[in-house]
């Protein structure tokens, strides 16, 4: 049901709820901006969940993870979501290769997981004509994942 659409605020909230136990485990903070009144595919929640998990998990030792989710967009430009963290960051030369399956920049003794989250995220977004890239966080550390997805008007929604 890739054509079914939901309010973007519901999709983002679903992703945040899925990572809530993980957020608590890592004593992280998650701030989410107000969502524009547009619609998005529900699968976007699963892709965002992968990004939020990484943002919370890959924090610097001795610091609490802080993740900001800025949501914007309109019907013409689509949806733009920026997931910015204060974590360990990703060197620019690795920002594309980390989307390959089983790619890890750190050993499993440092950060758990098989290295599939980002490749799954990109595949999910690709299935809905979306993209994800990493940019500088704008701060001294961390990284910003930029997600772009086409939006739809409610009138364009397929009936459930």
């Amino acid at each position: 049901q890739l054509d079914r659409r939901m309010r973007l605020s519901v999709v983002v909230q679903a992703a945040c709820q899925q990572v809530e136990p993980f957020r608590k485990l890592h004593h992280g903070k998650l701030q989410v901006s107000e969502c524009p009144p547009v619609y998005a595919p529900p699968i976007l929640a699963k892709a965002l969940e992968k990004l939020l998990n990484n943002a919370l998990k890959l924090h610097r030792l001795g610091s609490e993870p802080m993740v900001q989710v800025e949501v914007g967009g309109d019907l013409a430009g689509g949806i733009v979501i920026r997931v910015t963290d204060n974590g360990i960051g990703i060197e620019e030369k690795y920002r594309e290769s980390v989307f390959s399956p089983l790619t890890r920049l750190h050993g499993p003794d440092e950060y758990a997981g098989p290295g599939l989250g980002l490749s799954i995220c990109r595949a999910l977004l690709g299935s809905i004509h979306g993209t994800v890239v990493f940019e500088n966080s704008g701060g001294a550390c961390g990284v910003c994942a930029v997600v772009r997805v086409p939006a739809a008007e409610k009138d364009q929604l397929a009936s459930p």
Side-chain angles (χ1 to χ4, degrees), residues 66-92:
M66 175 61 149
V67 181
Q68 292 182 309
V69 181
E70 295 175 73
V71 186
D74 56 40
L75 297 174
I79 299 163
V80 178
I81 302 172
R82 295 181 184 283
V83 178
T84 306
D85 65 54
N86 67 341
I88 60 172
I90 302 172
E91 286 183 62
E92 199 166 331

PDB file of all heavy atoms in Angstrom, residues 66-92:
ATOM      1  N   MET A  66      21.470  14.259  21.619  1.00  0.00           N
ATOM      2  CA  MET A  66      20.471  15.298  21.367  1.00  0.00           C
ATOM      3  C   MET A  66      20.144  15.233  19.880  1.00  0.00           C
ATOM      4  O   MET A  66      21.030  15.403  19.043  1.00  0.00           O
ATOM      5  CB  MET A  66      21.045  16.661  21.735  1.00  0.00           C
ATOM      6  CG  MET A  66      20.131  17.805  21.388  1.00  0.00           C
ATOM      7  SD  MET A  66      18.583  17.641  22.271  1.00  0.00           S
ATOM      8  CE  MET A  66      18.136  19.305  22.472  1.00  0.00           C
ATOM      9  N   VAL A  67      18.890  14.969  19.563  1.00  0.00           N
ATOM     10  CA  VAL A  67      18.475  14.822  18.172  1.00  0.00           C
ATOM     11  C   VAL A  67      17.357  15.820  17.889  1.00  0.00           C
ATOM     12  O   VAL A  67      16.376  15.890  18.631  1.00  0.00           O
ATOM     13  CB  VAL A  67      17.982  13.387  17.881  1.00  0.00           C
ATOM     14  CG1 VAL A  67      17.587  13.236  16.429  1.00  0.00           C
ATOM     15  CG2 VAL A  67      19.042  12.358  18.266  1.00  0.00           C
ATOM     16  N   GLN A  68      17.544  16.583  16.816  1.00  0.00           N
ATOM     17  CA  GLN A  68      16.524  17.539  16.391  1.00  0.00           C
ATOM     18  C   GLN A  68      15.954  17.076  15.057  1.00  0.00           C
ATOM     19  O   GLN A  68      16.720  16.736  14.143  1.00  0.00           O
ATOM     20  CB  GLN A  68      17.110  18.933  16.244  1.00  0.00           C
ATOM     21  CG  GLN A  68      17.527  19.540  17.560  1.00  0.00           C
ATOM     22  CD  GLN A  68      18.057  20.944  17.373  1.00  0.00           C
ATOM     23  OE1 GLN A  68      18.917  21.186  16.541  1.00  0.00           O
ATOM     24  NE2 GLN A  68      17.535  21.869  18.161  1.00  0.00           N
ATOM     25  N   VAL A  69      14.640  17.088  14.972  1.00  0.00           N
ATOM     26  CA  VAL A  69      13.954  16.734  13.736  1.00  0.00           C
ATOM     27  C   VAL A  69      13.217  17.980  13.262  1.00  0.00           C
ATOM     28  O   VAL A  69      12.278  18.433  13.914  1.00  0.00           O
ATOM     29  CB  VAL A  69      12.964  15.566  13.950  1.00  0.00           C
ATOM     30  CG1 VAL A  69      12.279  15.194  12.646  1.00  0.00           C
ATOM     31  CG2 VAL A  69      13.672  14.359  14.551  1.00  0.00           C
ATOM     32  N   GLU A  70      13.689  18.530  12.159  1.00  0.00           N
ATOM     33  CA  GLU A  70      13.057  19.715  11.578  1.00  0.00           C
ATOM     34  C   GLU A  70      12.283  19.273  10.344  1.00  0.00           C
ATOM     35  O   GLU A  70      12.872  18.681   9.430  1.00  0.00           O
ATOM     36  CB  GLU A  70      14.100  20.748  11.189  1.00  0.00           C
ATOM     37  CG  GLU A  70      14.856  21.325  12.371  1.00  0.00           C
ATOM     38  CD  GLU A  70      15.953  22.249  11.914  1.00  0.00           C
ATOM     39  OE1 GLU A  70      15.627  23.359  11.458  1.00  0.00           O
ATOM     40  OE2 GLU A  70      17.115  21.828  11.983  1.00  0.00           O
ATOM     41  N   VAL A  71      10.999  19.547  10.358  1.00  0.00           N
ATOM     42  CA  VAL A  71      10.131  19.098   9.275  1.00  0.00           C
ATOM     43  C   VAL A  71       9.608  20.309   8.523  1.00  0.00           C
ATOM     44  O   VAL A  71       9.112  21.263   9.122  1.00  0.00           O
ATOM     45  CB  VAL A  71       8.947  18.279   9.828  1.00  0.00           C
ATOM     46  CG1 VAL A  71       8.132  17.688   8.699  1.00  0.00           C
ATOM     47  CG2 VAL A  71       9.453  17.176  10.751  1.00  0.00           C
ATOM     48  N   GLY A  72       9.735  20.282   7.216  1.00  0.00           N
ATOM     49  CA  GLY A  72       9.246  21.376   6.395  1.00  0.00           C
ATOM     50  C   GLY A  72       8.737  20.837   5.076  1.00  0.00           C
ATOM     51  O   GLY A  72       8.755  19.636   4.825  1.00  0.00           O
ATOM     52  N   GLY A  73       8.302  21.732   4.254  1.00  0.00           N
ATOM     53  CA  GLY A  73       7.866  21.322   2.929  1.00  0.00           C
ATOM     54  C   GLY A  73       6.512  21.874   2.568  1.00  0.00           C
ATOM     55  O   GLY A  73       5.805  22.449   3.384  1.00  0.00           O
ATOM     56  N   ASP A  74       6.189  21.691   1.290  1.00  0.00           N
ATOM     57  CA  ASP A  74       4.900  22.110   0.767  1.00  0.00           C
ATOM     58  C   ASP A  74       4.546  21.194  -0.391  1.00  0.00           C
ATOM     59  O   ASP A  74       5.309  20.302  -0.752  1.00  0.00           O
ATOM     60  CB  ASP A  74       4.937  23.576   0.335  1.00  0.00           C
ATOM     61  CG  ASP A  74       6.036  23.847  -0.675  1.00  0.00           C
ATOM     62  OD1 ASP A  74       6.259  23.004  -1.572  1.00  0.00           O
ATOM     63  OD2 ASP A  74       6.685  24.892  -0.572  1.00  0.00           O
ATOM     64  N   LEU A  75       3.396  21.418  -0.971  1.00  0.00           N
ATOM     65  CA  LEU A  75       2.950  20.532  -2.035  1.00  0.00           C
ATOM     66  C   LEU A  75       3.845  20.610  -3.268  1.00  0.00           C
ATOM     67  O   LEU A  75       4.080  19.624  -3.949  1.00  0.00           O
ATOM     68  CB  LEU A  75       1.502  20.839  -2.406  1.00  0.00           C
ATOM     69  CG  LEU A  75       0.509  20.593  -1.273  1.00  0.00           C
ATOM     70  CD1 LEU A  75      -0.873  21.050  -1.670  1.00  0.00           C
ATOM     71  CD2 LEU A  75       0.491  19.133  -0.892  1.00  0.00           C
ATOM     72  N   ALA A  76       4.395  21.789  -3.550  1.00  0.00           N
ATOM     73  CA  ALA A  76       5.225  21.955  -4.743  1.00  0.00           C
ATOM     74  C   ALA A  76       6.607  21.336  -4.556  1.00  0.00           C
ATOM     75  O   ALA A  76       7.112  20.641  -5.433  1.00  0.00           O
ATOM     76  CB  ALA A  76       5.355  23.430  -5.090  1.00  0.00           C
ATOM     77  N   GLY A  77       7.233  21.596  -3.410  1.00  0.00           N
ATOM     78  CA  GLY A  77       8.599  21.134  -3.184  1.00  0.00           C
ATOM     79  C   GLY A  77       8.707  19.798  -2.503  1.00  0.00           C
ATOM     80  O   GLY A  77       9.780  19.234  -2.395  1.00  0.00           O
ATOM     81  N   GLY A  78       7.613  19.274  -2.017  1.00  0.00           N
ATOM     82  CA  GLY A  78       7.653  18.017  -1.286  1.00  0.00           C
ATOM     83  C   GLY A  78       8.037  18.234   0.166  1.00  0.00           C
ATOM     84  O   GLY A  78       8.101  19.353   0.660  1.00  0.00           O
ATOM     85  N   ILE A  79       8.308  17.152   0.828  1.00  0.00           N
ATOM     86  CA  ILE A  79       8.622  17.154   2.252  1.00  0.00           C
ATOM     87  C   ILE A  79      10.139  17.124   2.421  1.00  0.00           C
ATOM     88  O   ILE A  79      10.820  16.346   1.755  1.00  0.00           O
ATOM     89  CB  ILE A  79       7.995  15.919   2.927  1.00  0.00           C
ATOM     90  CG1 ILE A  79       6.471  15.950   2.780  1.00  0.00           C
ATOM     91  CG2 ILE A  79       8.406  15.837   4.384  1.00  0.00           C
ATOM     92  CD1 ILE A  79       5.817  14.618   3.040  1.00  0.00           C
ATOM     93  N   VAL A  80      10.643  17.948   3.328  1.00  0.00           N
ATOM     94  CA  VAL A  80      12.059  17.928   3.664  1.00  0.00           C
ATOM     95  C   VAL A  80      12.154  17.738   5.177  1.00  0.00           C
ATOM     96  O   VAL A  80      11.583  18.510   5.944  1.00  0.00           O
ATOM     97  CB  VAL A  80      12.771  19.231   3.253  1.00  0.00           C
ATOM     98  CG1 VAL A  80      14.239  19.180   3.658  1.00  0.00           C
ATOM     99  CG2 VAL A  80      12.632  19.473   1.760  1.00  0.00           C
ATOM    100  N   ILE A  81      12.868  16.711   5.583  1.00  0.00           N
ATOM    101  CA  ILE A  81      13.049  16.422   7.004  1.00  0.00           C
ATOM    102  C   ILE A  81      14.545  16.376   7.285  1.00  0.00           C
ATOM    103  O   ILE A  81      15.293  15.673   6.618  1.00  0.00           O
ATOM    104  CB  ILE A  81      12.404  15.078   7.395  1.00  0.00           C
ATOM    105  CG1 ILE A  81      10.909  15.106   7.061  1.00  0.00           C
ATOM    106  CG2 ILE A  81      12.638  14.778   8.873  1.00  0.00           C
ATOM    107  CD1 ILE A  81      10.218  13.775   7.219  1.00  0.00           C
ATOM    108  N   ARG A  82      14.964  17.142   8.276  1.00  0.00           N
ATOM    109  CA  ARG A  82      16.379  17.159   8.683  1.00  0.00           C
ATOM    110  C   ARG A  82      16.481  16.541  10.076  1.00  0.00           C
ATOM    111  O   ARG A  82      15.852  17.033  11.016  1.00  0.00           O
ATOM    112  CB  ARG A  82      16.907  18.584   8.712  1.00  0.00           C
ATOM    113  CG  ARG A  82      16.938  19.241   7.362  1.00  0.00           C
ATOM    114  CD  ARG A  82      17.508  20.664   7.454  1.00  0.00           C
ATOM    115  NE  ARG A  82      17.463  21.347   6.189  1.00  0.00           N
ATOM    116  CZ  ARG A  82      18.296  21.137   5.174  1.00  0.00           C
ATOM    117  NH1 ARG A  82      19.230  20.247   5.280  1.00  0.00           N
ATOM    118  NH2 ARG A  82      18.172  21.818   4.053  1.00  0.00           N
ATOM    119  N   VAL A  83      17.273  15.489  10.170  1.00  0.00           N
ATOM    120  CA  VAL A  83      17.529  14.825  11.449  1.00  0.00           C
ATOM    121  C   VAL A  83      18.974  15.155  11.821  1.00  0.00           C
ATOM    122  O   VAL A  83      19.912  14.640  11.221  1.00  0.00           O
ATOM    123  CB  VAL A  83      17.319  13.297  11.355  1.00  0.00           C
ATOM    124  CG1 VAL A  83      17.643  12.629  12.685  1.00  0.00           C
ATOM    125  CG2 VAL A  83      15.897  12.978  10.915  1.00  0.00           C
ATOM    126  N   THR A  84      19.134  16.051  12.794  1.00  0.00           N
ATOM    127  CA  THR A  84      20.455  16.535  13.190  1.00  0.00           C
ATOM    128  C   THR A  84      20.779  16.028  14.587  1.00  0.00           C
ATOM    129  O   THR A  84      19.945  16.104  15.490  1.00  0.00           O
ATOM    130  CB  THR A  84      20.485  18.082  13.180  1.00  0.00           C
ATOM    131  OG1 THR A  84      20.049  18.541  11.897  1.00  0.00           O
ATOM    132  CG2 THR A  84      21.886  18.604  13.449  1.00  0.00           C
ATOM    133  N   ASP A  85      22.000  15.514  14.744  1.00  0.00           N
ATOM    134  CA  ASP A  85      22.400  15.010  16.061  1.00  0.00           C
ATOM    135  C   ASP A  85      23.709  15.642  16.510  1.00  0.00           C
ATOM    136  O   ASP A  85      24.367  16.346  15.743  1.00  0.00           O
ATOM    137  CB  ASP A  85      22.512  13.476  16.040  1.00  0.00           C
ATOM    138  CG  ASP A  85      23.614  12.963  15.131  1.00  0.00           C
ATOM    139  OD1 ASP A  85      24.773  13.403  15.289  1.00  0.00           O
ATOM    140  OD2 ASP A  85      23.339  12.106  14.275  1.00  0.00           O
ATOM    141  N   ASN A  86      24.057  15.392  17.747  1.00  0.00           N
ATOM    142  CA  ASN A  86      25.305  15.901  18.327  1.00  0.00           C
ATOM    143  C   ASN A  86      26.293  14.757  18.534  1.00  0.00           C
ATOM    144  O   ASN A  86      27.147  14.809  19.401  1.00  0.00           O
ATOM    145  CB  ASN A  86      25.039  16.621  19.654  1.00  0.00           C
ATOM    146  CG  ASN A  86      24.548  15.657  20.732  1.00  0.00           C
ATOM    147  OD1 ASN A  86      24.072  14.561  20.436  1.00  0.00           O
ATOM    148  ND2 ASN A  86      24.644  16.060  21.980  1.00  0.00           N
ATOM    149  N   GLY A  87      26.162  13.715  17.734  1.00  0.00           N
ATOM    150  CA  GLY A  87      26.942  12.496  17.923  1.00  0.00           C
ATOM    151  C   GLY A  87      28.339  12.534  17.344  1.00  0.00           C
ATOM    152  O   GLY A  87      28.950  13.590  17.191  1.00  0.00           O
ATOM    153  N   ILE A  88      28.820  11.350  16.986  1.00  0.00           N
ATOM    154  CA  ILE A  88      30.201  11.192  16.531  1.00  0.00           C
ATOM    155  C   ILE A  88      30.410  11.679  15.103  1.00  0.00           C
ATOM    156  O   ILE A  88      31.538  11.864  14.675  1.00  0.00           O
ATOM    157  CB  ILE A  88      30.662   9.730  16.661  1.00  0.00           C
ATOM    158  CG1 ILE A  88      29.778   8.797  15.822  1.00  0.00           C
ATOM    159  CG2 ILE A  88      30.683   9.311  18.118  1.00  0.00           C
ATOM    160  CD1 ILE A  88      30.281   7.372  15.741  1.00  0.00           C
ATOM    161  N   GLY A  89      29.330  11.866  14.366  1.00  0.00           N
ATOM    162  CA  GLY A  89      29.440  12.384  13.006  1.00  0.00           C
ATOM    163  C   GLY A  89      29.901  11.336  12.009  1.00  0.00           C
ATOM    164  O   GLY A  89      30.190  10.193  12.364  1.00  0.00           O
ATOM    165  N   ILE A  90      29.968  11.741  10.755  1.00  0.00           N
ATOM    166  CA  ILE A  90      30.441  10.886   9.665  1.00  0.00           C
ATOM    167  C   ILE A  90      31.365  11.751   8.812  1.00  0.00           C
ATOM    168  O   ILE A  90      30.938  12.794   8.309  1.00  0.00           O
ATOM    169  CB  ILE A  90      29.277  10.370   8.793  1.00  0.00           C
ATOM    170  CG1 ILE A  90      28.276   9.585   9.634  1.00  0.00           C
ATOM    171  CG2 ILE A  90      29.805   9.506   7.639  1.00  0.00           C
ATOM    172  CD1 ILE A  90      27.004   9.225   8.876  1.00  0.00           C
ATOM    173  N   GLU A  91      32.598  11.296   8.666  1.00  0.00           N
ATOM    174  CA  GLU A  91      33.519  12.045   7.816  1.00  0.00           C
ATOM    175  C   GLU A  91      32.935  12.149   6.414  1.00  0.00           C
ATOM    176  O   GLU A  91      32.289  11.231   5.929  1.00  0.00           O
ATOM    177  CB  GLU A  91      34.874  11.341   7.736  1.00  0.00           C
ATOM    178  CG  GLU A  91      35.712  11.467   8.975  1.00  0.00           C
ATOM    179  CD  GLU A  91      37.058  10.802   8.768  1.00  0.00           C
ATOM    180  OE1 GLU A  91      37.812  11.247   7.872  1.00  0.00           O
ATOM    181  OE2 GLU A  91      37.336   9.836   9.501  1.00  0.00           O
ATOM    182  N   GLU A  92      33.192  13.286   5.788  1.00  0.00           N
ATOM    183  CA  GLU A  92      32.612  13.555   4.475  1.00  0.00           C
ATOM    184  C   GLU A  92      32.908  12.441   3.469  1.00  0.00           C
ATOM    185  O   GLU A  92      32.045  12.064   2.687  1.00  0.00           O
ATOM    186  CB  GLU A  92      33.117  14.898   3.951  1.00  0.00           C
ATOM    187  CG  GLU A  92      32.239  15.449   2.854  1.00  0.00           C
ATOM    188  CD  GLU A  92      32.514  16.911   2.564  1.00  0.00           C
ATOM    189  OE1 GLU A  92      32.943  17.650   3.473  1.00  0.00           O
ATOM    190  OE2 GLU A  92      32.274  17.304   1.413  1.00  0.00           O
TER     191      GLU A  92
END
